[in-house]
Amino acid sequence: MDFLKQLGIKEKNMGASTGRQWLGSEAGDAVTIISPVDGKPIAGVVPATVEEYERVAAAAHQGFLKWRQVPAPQRGEVVRKIGNRLRDYKEPLGKLVSYEMGKSVQEGYGEVQEMIDICDFAVGQSRQLYGFTMHSERASHRLYDQYHPLGVVGVISAFNFPVAVWSWNAMIGTVCGDSILWKPSSKVPLTAIAVMNIIGEVMEEENLPEGVFSMVIGKGATVGDRLVNDRRLPLVSITGSTVVGREAAQKIAGRFGRAILELGGNNAIIVTANADLKLAIPATVFGAVGTAGQRCTTTRRLIVHESLYDRVTSSLVKAYQGLRIGSPMDEANHVGPLIDRAAVEDFVRALGRAEEEGGVILTGGQVLEGAGYESGCYVRPAIVEAKNEFSIVQEETFAPILYLIRYAGPVENAIAIQNDVVQGLSSAIFTSDLREAEAFLSCRGSDCGLANVNIGTSGAEIGGAFGGEKETGGGRESGSDAWKAYMRRQTNTINYGMDLPLAQGIKFEI
């Protein structure tokens, strides 16, 4: 395929990079990456060894010691050039994202555009790494705080956004003066290799220190555990399941490191009696079936007022029955494959549990076979009439299953249902009533990190901080003031007088 050649993807690729050189041996055993689109092999990757991890981590640390001394606006200029280079490769990289992961090619292009957008954002941020000046209680004293580069930032990314979430961390961390050590998902390593090839071009042209950007591909037992336990990495950003995040966070905390956790979501849309269904229905469908239900912000629960329940149900069933399911490389299709057959098994298992608990499948739920579905990864998205207290509804199933839940009475009842799960990532309400919208956004409203009015749960912009509460982990990435997590804060006091007054009026004379 032409896009593989354009991105430097070979038949056999090394799984460790210091940014300026690839480590590994052609004699190493390669893992074959299979596309969920057609079940065909794409290319092989030789996983990083323990020794190669140590070389990459050492390079990342040395790279940081040099990179932190570069003025932040100059660091921003490098990020600007990375963004421009990503523009050059947007089409082939977007196609690779789609073919390796399975999301629609339009979503693949959108993911690369998200990388470009965060580069633009980070360039501006490089001139705004601000502190604050406070008035000292002591005469002839100046009191202020400032932010310094933190160190090597580890980024563990998930398969569903194989490049965009890395860029949220990498571009912000880079302008903050950090170096970046990336462990991409082993399910989608080729996109990461392609990105490192693109980054490598800029590193060579700008003569960047080796290790400013680096990467290791491999199993958790080989490189993952070493990364989370590595004291050279003061911060590790983890996108993945709650189970993985909980285990890793304990190890990071054990060495007093920091963690940015972006974990599970069980996102709900509330449709009140005052909702505009012309907005609510398409937003729900895209939120529930986009990326085949494999977004952390996917709409998993729809909480509908009883007065609109039948109308919403019939509209959704009709929309689902019209979905075009097939190769994501065909822009006419709405839904592509799940990432692998294990995900299909999870989909089938979840629907079985829902029925056992009393749920009713209103449409969908089939595993698709035959021409065009040879990979075994295609399913028909399902709508299930359910109750929030079902144990399966309380869990996040990373697949296109939408649980339809009825509520009665005021909006506060729907909010209580929405909040009655352990996850707290994204949420939305559809209403034309100002009081309902404000109640949803108030301190007694949604308990999620993202709360939207008259738009869906999925598709956050990079300008706002992204993240959630409760078992979603509490982390924040991307925009707003999320940059502060990638720096160390320092409070400074300067005495420019001739006396030495103590704070709090304490007297000490010698």
Side-chain angles (χ1 to χ4, degrees), residues 439-472:
F440 178 76
L441 299 176
S442 74
C443 62
R444 66 180 189 275
S446 171
D447 64 1
C448 296
L450 306 172
N452 302 325
V453 176
N454 292 331
I455 64 170
T457 62
S458 188
E461 297 181 27
I462 58 96
F466 181 91
E469 302 301 325
K470 301 188 291 188
E471 289 194 4
T472 301

PDB file of all heavy atoms in Angstrom, residues 439-472:
ATOM      1  N   ALA A 439     -28.979  23.389  36.108  1.00  0.00           N
ATOM      2  CA  ALA A 439     -28.946  22.384  37.181  1.00  0.00           C
ATOM      3  C   ALA A 439     -27.945  21.288  36.843  1.00  0.00           C
ATOM      4  O   ALA A 439     -27.187  20.815  37.703  1.00  0.00           O
ATOM      5  CB  ALA A 439     -30.336  21.789  37.398  1.00  0.00           C
ATOM      6  N   PHE A 440     -27.913  20.888  35.578  1.00  0.00           N
ATOM      7  CA  PHE A 440     -26.985  19.855  35.116  1.00  0.00           C
ATOM      8  C   PHE A 440     -25.535  20.305  35.258  1.00  0.00           C
ATOM      9  O   PHE A 440     -24.649  19.498  35.584  1.00  0.00           O
ATOM     10  CB  PHE A 440     -27.302  19.533  33.654  1.00  0.00           C
ATOM     11  CG  PHE A 440     -26.403  18.522  33.017  1.00  0.00           C
ATOM     12  CD1 PHE A 440     -26.529  17.169  33.301  1.00  0.00           C
ATOM     13  CD2 PHE A 440     -25.420  18.910  32.107  1.00  0.00           C
ATOM     14  CE1 PHE A 440     -25.710  16.225  32.703  1.00  0.00           C
ATOM     15  CE2 PHE A 440     -24.593  17.978  31.506  1.00  0.00           C
ATOM     16  CZ  PHE A 440     -24.743  16.630  31.812  1.00  0.00           C
ATOM     17  N   LEU A 441     -25.259  21.585  35.040  1.00  0.00           N
ATOM     18  CA  LEU A 441     -23.896  22.109  35.110  1.00  0.00           C
ATOM     19  C   LEU A 441     -23.497  22.580  36.496  1.00  0.00           C
ATOM     20  O   LEU A 441     -22.337  22.933  36.717  1.00  0.00           O
ATOM     21  CB  LEU A 441     -23.742  23.274  34.119  1.00  0.00           C
ATOM     22  CG  LEU A 441     -23.964  22.948  32.637  1.00  0.00           C
ATOM     23  CD1 LEU A 441     -23.886  24.210  31.801  1.00  0.00           C
ATOM     24  CD2 LEU A 441     -22.959  21.914  32.151  1.00  0.00           C
ATOM     25  N   SER A 442     -24.422  22.585  37.427  1.00  0.00           N
ATOM     26  CA  SER A 442     -24.140  23.095  38.769  1.00  0.00           C
ATOM     27  C   SER A 442     -23.398  22.064  39.608  1.00  0.00           C
ATOM     28  O   SER A 442     -23.172  20.921  39.191  1.00  0.00           O
ATOM     29  CB  SER A 442     -25.451  23.472  39.461  1.00  0.00           C
ATOM     30  OG  SER A 442     -26.163  22.295  39.848  1.00  0.00           O
ATOM     31  N   CYS A 443     -23.029  22.458  40.815  1.00  0.00           N
ATOM     32  CA  CYS A 443     -22.304  21.554  41.724  1.00  0.00           C
ATOM     33  C   CYS A 443     -23.132  20.345  42.117  1.00  0.00           C
ATOM     34  O   CYS A 443     -22.585  19.323  42.530  1.00  0.00           O
ATOM     35  CB  CYS A 443     -21.833  22.317  42.957  1.00  0.00           C
ATOM     36  SG  CYS A 443     -23.181  23.012  43.944  1.00  0.00           S
ATOM     37  N   ARG A 444     -24.438  20.435  41.985  1.00  0.00           N
ATOM     38  CA  ARG A 444     -25.297  19.281  42.289  1.00  0.00           C
ATOM     39  C   ARG A 444     -25.710  18.535  41.024  1.00  0.00           C
ATOM     40  O   ARG A 444     -26.577  17.659  41.068  1.00  0.00           O
ATOM     41  CB  ARG A 444     -26.538  19.740  43.059  1.00  0.00           C
ATOM     42  CG  ARG A 444     -27.492  20.622  42.280  1.00  0.00           C
ATOM     43  CD  ARG A 444     -28.697  21.035  43.120  1.00  0.00           C
ATOM     44  NE  ARG A 444     -29.723  21.711  42.348  1.00  0.00           N
ATOM     45  CZ  ARG A 444     -29.741  23.009  42.068  1.00  0.00           C
ATOM     46  NH1 ARG A 444     -28.751  23.777  42.507  1.00  0.00           N
ATOM     47  NH2 ARG A 444     -30.724  23.540  41.364  1.00  0.00           N
ATOM     48  N   GLY A 445     -25.066  18.883  39.910  1.00  0.00           N
ATOM     49  CA  GLY A 445     -25.395  18.266  38.638  1.00  0.00           C
ATOM     50  C   GLY A 445     -24.449  17.147  38.267  1.00  0.00           C
ATOM     51  O   GLY A 445     -24.092  16.297  39.110  1.00  0.00           O
ATOM     52  N   SER A 446     -24.007  17.139  37.023  1.00  0.00           N
ATOM     53  CA  SER A 446     -23.126  16.078  36.537  1.00  0.00           C
ATOM     54  C   SER A 446     -21.836  16.033  37.344  1.00  0.00           C
ATOM     55  O   SER A 446     -21.221  17.065  37.612  1.00  0.00           O
ATOM     56  CB  SER A 446     -22.799  16.318  35.061  1.00  0.00           C
ATOM     57  OG  SER A 446     -21.791  15.431  34.635  1.00  0.00           O
ATOM     58  N   ASP A 447     -21.409  14.820  37.693  1.00  0.00           N
ATOM     59  CA  ASP A 447     -20.155  14.660  38.443  1.00  0.00           C
ATOM     60  C   ASP A 447     -18.998  14.273  37.526  1.00  0.00           C
ATOM     61  O   ASP A 447     -17.970  13.774  37.982  1.00  0.00           O
ATOM     62  CB  ASP A 447     -20.314  13.640  39.565  1.00  0.00           C
ATOM     63  CG  ASP A 447     -20.616  12.223  39.072  1.00  0.00           C
ATOM     64  OD1 ASP A 447     -20.679  12.011  37.835  1.00  0.00           O
ATOM     65  OD2 ASP A 447     -20.790  11.317  39.912  1.00  0.00           O
ATOM     66  N   CYS A 448     -19.152  14.521  36.232  1.00  0.00           N
ATOM     67  CA  CYS A 448     -18.130  14.135  35.263  1.00  0.00           C
ATOM     68  C   CYS A 448     -17.161  15.285  34.984  1.00  0.00           C
ATOM     69  O   CYS A 448     -17.474  16.457  35.197  1.00  0.00           O
ATOM     70  CB  CYS A 448     -18.785  13.704  33.956  1.00  0.00           C
ATOM     71  SG  CYS A 448     -19.816  12.218  34.108  1.00  0.00           S
ATOM     72  N   GLY A 449     -16.011  14.938  34.437  1.00  0.00           N
ATOM     73  CA  GLY A 449     -15.032  15.954  34.060  1.00  0.00           C
ATOM     74  C   GLY A 449     -15.455  16.745  32.844  1.00  0.00           C
ATOM     75  O   GLY A 449     -15.014  17.876  32.640  1.00  0.00           O
ATOM     76  N   LEU A 450     -16.306  16.154  32.001  1.00  0.00           N
ATOM     77  CA  LEU A 450     -16.838  16.821  30.818  1.00  0.00           C
ATOM     78  C   LEU A 450     -18.353  16.831  30.918  1.00  0.00           C
ATOM     79  O   LEU A 450     -18.974  15.782  31.121  1.00  0.00           O
ATOM     80  CB  LEU A 450     -16.421  16.088  29.540  1.00  0.00           C
ATOM     81  CG  LEU A 450     -14.920  15.840  29.334  1.00  0.00           C
ATOM     82  CD1 LEU A 450     -14.696  14.938  28.133  1.00  0.00           C
ATOM     83  CD2 LEU A 450     -14.179  17.149  29.162  1.00  0.00           C
ATOM     84  N   ALA A 451     -18.953  18.000  30.787  1.00  0.00           N
ATOM     85  CA  ALA A 451     -20.406  18.124  30.872  1.00  0.00           C
ATOM     86  C   ALA A 451     -20.867  19.054  29.756  1.00  0.00           C
ATOM     87  O   ALA A 451     -20.453  20.219  29.702  1.00  0.00           O
ATOM     88  CB  ALA A 451     -20.838  18.654  32.231  1.00  0.00           C
ATOM     89  N   ASN A 452     -21.710  18.547  28.860  1.00  0.00           N
ATOM     90  CA  ASN A 452     -22.114  19.274  27.660  1.00  0.00           C
ATOM     91  C   ASN A 452     -23.616  19.509  27.631  1.00  0.00           C
ATOM     92  O   ASN A 452     -24.392  18.712  28.176  1.00  0.00           O
ATOM     93  CB  ASN A 452     -21.720  18.485  26.414  1.00  0.00           C
ATOM     94  CG  ASN A 452     -20.228  18.203  26.352  1.00  0.00           C
ATOM     95  OD1 ASN A 452     -19.416  19.005  26.774  1.00  0.00           O
ATOM     96  ND2 ASN A 452     -19.875  17.042  25.816  1.00  0.00           N
ATOM     97  N   VAL A 453     -24.005  20.587  26.980  1.00  0.00           N
ATOM     98  CA  VAL A 453     -25.423  20.907  26.804  1.00  0.00           C
ATOM     99  C   VAL A 453     -25.725  20.975  25.311  1.00  0.00           C
ATOM    100  O   VAL A 453     -25.084  21.735  24.574  1.00  0.00           O
ATOM    101  CB  VAL A 453     -25.781  22.247  27.486  1.00  0.00           C
ATOM    102  CG1 VAL A 453     -27.237  22.606  27.200  1.00  0.00           C
ATOM    103  CG2 VAL A 453     -25.535  22.172  28.994  1.00  0.00           C
ATOM    104  N   ASN A 454     -26.651  20.154  24.877  1.00  0.00           N
ATOM    105  CA  ASN A 454     -27.114  20.107  23.489  1.00  0.00           C
ATOM    106  C   ASN A 454     -26.027  19.728  22.489  1.00  0.00           C
ATOM    107  O   ASN A 454     -26.095  20.091  21.307  1.00  0.00           O
ATOM    108  CB  ASN A 454     -27.796  21.422  23.092  1.00  0.00           C
ATOM    109  CG  ASN A 454     -29.112  21.627  23.837  1.00  0.00           C
ATOM    110  OD1 ASN A 454     -29.784  20.662  24.200  1.00  0.00           O
ATOM    111  ND2 ASN A 454     -29.465  22.888  24.084  1.00  0.00           N
ATOM    112  N   ILE A 455     -25.014  19.039  22.945  1.00  0.00           N
ATOM    113  CA  ILE A 455     -24.102  18.286  22.093  1.00  0.00           C
ATOM    114  C   ILE A 455     -23.835  16.962  22.790  1.00  0.00           C
ATOM    115  O   ILE A 455     -24.092  16.825  23.987  1.00  0.00           O
ATOM    116  CB  ILE A 455     -22.772  19.026  21.805  1.00  0.00           C
ATOM    117  CG1 ILE A 455     -21.965  19.219  23.106  1.00  0.00           C
ATOM    118  CG2 ILE A 455     -23.014  20.357  21.118  1.00  0.00           C
ATOM    119  CD1 ILE A 455     -20.561  19.721  22.830  1.00  0.00           C
ATOM    120  N   GLY A 456     -23.284  15.994  22.065  1.00  0.00           N
ATOM    121  CA  GLY A 456     -23.108  14.664  22.625  1.00  0.00           C
ATOM    122  C   GLY A 456     -21.926  14.544  23.560  1.00  0.00           C
ATOM    123  O   GLY A 456     -21.256  15.529  23.901  1.00  0.00           O
ATOM    124  N   THR A 457     -21.662  13.306  23.973  1.00  0.00           N
ATOM    125  CA  THR A 457     -20.568  13.047  24.916  1.00  0.00           C
ATOM    126  C   THR A 457     -19.221  12.933  24.226  1.00  0.00           C
ATOM    127  O   THR A 457     -18.176  12.992  24.871  1.00  0.00           O
ATOM    128  CB  THR A 457     -20.809  11.731  25.680  1.00  0.00           C
ATOM    129  OG1 THR A 457     -20.845  10.636  24.742  1.00  0.00           O
ATOM    130  CG2 THR A 457     -22.112  11.781  26.456  1.00  0.00           C
ATOM    131  N   SER A 458     -19.236  12.729  22.901  1.00  0.00           N
ATOM    132  CA  SER A 458     -18.017  12.382  22.181  1.00  0.00           C
ATOM    133  C   SER A 458     -17.546  13.551  21.332  1.00  0.00           C
ATOM    134  O   SER A 458     -18.340  14.348  20.842  1.00  0.00           O
ATOM    135  CB  SER A 458     -18.289  11.161  21.284  1.00  0.00           C
ATOM    136  OG  SER A 458     -17.113  10.673  20.714  1.00  0.00           O
ATOM    137  N   GLY A 459     -16.218  13.653  21.148  1.00  0.00           N
ATOM    138  CA  GLY A 459     -15.681  14.665  20.254  1.00  0.00           C
ATOM    139  C   GLY A 459     -15.258  15.941  20.945  1.00  0.00           C
ATOM    140  O   GLY A 459     -15.641  17.038  20.520  1.00  0.00           O
ATOM    141  N   ALA A 460     -14.450  15.837  22.012  1.00  0.00           N
ATOM    142  CA  ALA A 460     -14.000  17.016  22.744  1.00  0.00           C
ATOM    143  C   ALA A 460     -12.987  17.816  21.933  1.00  0.00           C
ATOM    144  O   ALA A 460     -12.202  17.257  21.160  1.00  0.00           O
ATOM    145  CB  ALA A 460     -13.371  16.596  24.074  1.00  0.00           C
ATOM    146  N   GLU A 461     -13.010  19.132  22.085  1.00  0.00           N
ATOM    147  CA  GLU A 461     -12.039  19.999  21.427  1.00  0.00           C
ATOM    148  C   GLU A 461     -10.754  20.048  22.239  1.00  0.00           C
ATOM    149  O   GLU A 461     -10.766  19.896  23.469  1.00  0.00           O
ATOM    150  CB  GLU A 461     -12.603  21.414  21.278  1.00  0.00           C
ATOM    151  CG  GLU A 461     -13.838  21.504  20.403  1.00  0.00           C
ATOM    152  CD  GLU A 461     -14.328  22.935  20.275  1.00  0.00           C
ATOM    153  OE1 GLU A 461     -13.507  23.863  20.401  1.00  0.00           O
ATOM    154  OE2 GLU A 461     -15.535  23.119  20.057  1.00  0.00           O
ATOM    155  N   ILE A 462      -9.624  20.329  21.558  1.00  0.00           N
ATOM    156  CA  ILE A 462      -8.333  20.319  22.256  1.00  0.00           C
ATOM    157  C   ILE A 462      -8.140  21.547  23.137  1.00  0.00           C
ATOM    158  O   ILE A 462      -7.261  21.560  24.002  1.00  0.00           O
ATOM    159  CB  ILE A 462      -7.164  20.186  21.255  1.00  0.00           C
ATOM    160  CG1 ILE A 462      -7.158  21.327  20.228  1.00  0.00           C
ATOM    161  CG2 ILE A 462      -7.220  18.843  20.559  1.00  0.00           C
ATOM    162  CD1 ILE A 462      -6.261  22.472  20.576  1.00  0.00           C
ATOM    163  N   GLY A 463      -8.946  22.599  22.970  1.00  0.00           N
ATOM    164  CA  GLY A 463      -8.751  23.811  23.754  1.00  0.00           C
ATOM    165  C   GLY A 463      -9.117  23.673  25.217  1.00  0.00           C
ATOM    166  O   GLY A 463      -8.652  24.458  26.052  1.00  0.00           O
ATOM    167  N   GLY A 464      -9.964  22.710  25.542  1.00  0.00           N
ATOM    168  CA  GLY A 464     -10.350  22.494  26.934  1.00  0.00           C
ATOM    169  C   GLY A 464      -9.561  21.358  27.552  1.00  0.00           C
ATOM    170  O   GLY A 464      -9.060  20.472  26.850  1.00  0.00           O
ATOM    171  N   ALA A 465      -9.425  21.383  28.861  1.00  0.00           N
ATOM    172  CA  ALA A 465      -8.759  20.280  29.557  1.00  0.00           C
ATOM    173  C   ALA A 465      -9.630  19.037  29.453  1.00  0.00           C
ATOM    174  O   ALA A 465     -10.840  19.091  29.663  1.00  0.00           O
ATOM    175  CB  ALA A 465      -8.513  20.643  31.014  1.00  0.00           C
ATOM    176  N   PHE A 466      -9.008  17.899  29.139  1.00  0.00           N
ATOM    177  CA  PHE A 466      -9.729  16.646  28.943  1.00  0.00           C
ATOM    178  C   PHE A 466      -9.433  15.703  30.095  1.00  0.00           C
ATOM    179  O   PHE A 466      -8.262  15.470  30.434  1.00  0.00           O
ATOM    180  CB  PHE A 466      -9.320  15.994  27.624  1.00  0.00           C
ATOM    181  CG  PHE A 466     -10.043  14.712  27.331  1.00  0.00           C
ATOM    182  CD1 PHE A 466     -11.224  14.720  26.609  1.00  0.00           C
ATOM    183  CD2 PHE A 466      -9.560  13.496  27.790  1.00  0.00           C
ATOM    184  CE1 PHE A 466     -11.909  13.546  26.342  1.00  0.00           C
ATOM    185  CE2 PHE A 466     -10.231  12.315  27.528  1.00  0.00           C
ATOM    186  CZ  PHE A 466     -11.415  12.335  26.802  1.00  0.00           C
ATOM    187  N   GLY A 467     -10.488  15.126  30.671  1.00  0.00           N
ATOM    188  CA  GLY A 467     -10.296  14.137  31.731  1.00  0.00           C
ATOM    189  C   GLY A 467     -11.546  13.978  32.557  1.00  0.00           C
ATOM    190  O   GLY A 467     -12.535  14.685  32.361  1.00  0.00           O
ATOM    191  N   GLY A 468     -11.523  13.029  33.501  1.00  0.00           N
ATOM    192  CA  GLY A 468     -12.712  12.744  34.280  1.00  0.00           C
ATOM    193  C   GLY A 468     -12.420  12.430  35.731  1.00  0.00           C
ATOM    194  O   GLY A 468     -11.268  12.397  36.167  1.00  0.00           O
ATOM    195  N   GLU A 469     -13.486  12.203  36.467  1.00  0.00           N
ATOM    196  CA  GLU A 469     -13.420  11.997  37.910  1.00  0.00           C
ATOM    197  C   GLU A 469     -13.685  10.534  38.271  1.00  0.00           C
ATOM    198  O   GLU A 469     -13.887   9.694  37.422  1.00  0.00           O
ATOM    199  CB  GLU A 469     -14.436  12.914  38.601  1.00  0.00           C
ATOM    200  CG  GLU A 469     -14.236  14.393  38.300  1.00  0.00           C
ATOM    201  CD  GLU A 469     -12.874  14.898  38.723  1.00  0.00           C
ATOM    202  OE1 GLU A 469     -12.341  14.426  39.750  1.00  0.00           O
ATOM    203  OE2 GLU A 469     -12.318  15.764  38.022  1.00  0.00           O
ATOM    204  N   LYS A 470     -13.655  10.253  39.560  1.00  0.00           N
ATOM    205  CA  LYS A 470     -13.907   8.920  40.109  1.00  0.00           C
ATOM    206  C   LYS A 470     -12.956   7.906  39.469  1.00  0.00           C
ATOM    207  O   LYS A 470     -11.757   8.180  39.339  1.00  0.00           O
ATOM    208  CB  LYS A 470     -15.387   8.553  39.952  1.00  0.00           C
ATOM    209  CG  LYS A 470     -16.321   9.536  40.657  1.00  0.00           C
ATOM    210  CD  LYS A 470     -17.779   9.092  40.694  1.00  0.00           C
ATOM    211  CE  LYS A 470     -18.449   9.101  39.381  1.00  0.00           C
ATOM    212  NZ  LYS A 470     -19.911   8.845  39.454  1.00  0.00           N
ATOM    213  N   GLU A 471     -13.441   6.777  39.022  1.00  0.00           N
ATOM    214  CA  GLU A 471     -12.545   5.750  38.486  1.00  0.00           C
ATOM    215  C   GLU A 471     -12.036   6.064  37.088  1.00  0.00           C
ATOM    216  O   GLU A 471     -11.270   5.290  36.518  1.00  0.00           O
ATOM    217  CB  GLU A 471     -13.224   4.375  38.515  1.00  0.00           C
ATOM    218  CG  GLU A 471     -13.371   3.836  39.924  1.00  0.00           C
ATOM    219  CD  GLU A 471     -13.724   2.362  39.967  1.00  0.00           C
ATOM    220  OE1 GLU A 471     -13.792   1.713  38.900  1.00  0.00           O
ATOM    221  OE2 GLU A 471     -13.929   1.843  41.088  1.00  0.00           O
ATOM    222  N   THR A 472     -12.421   7.222  36.547  1.00  0.00           N
ATOM    223  CA  THR A 472     -11.780   7.688  35.323  1.00  0.00           C
ATOM    224  C   THR A 472     -10.381   8.185  35.620  1.00  0.00           C
ATOM    225  O   THR A 472      -9.556   8.286  34.713  1.00  0.00           O
ATOM    226  CB  THR A 472     -12.636   8.778  34.649  1.00  0.00           C
ATOM    227  OG1 THR A 472     -13.934   8.222  34.365  1.00  0.00           O
ATOM    228  CG2 THR A 472     -12.022   9.267  33.356  1.00  0.00           C
TER     229      THR A 472
END
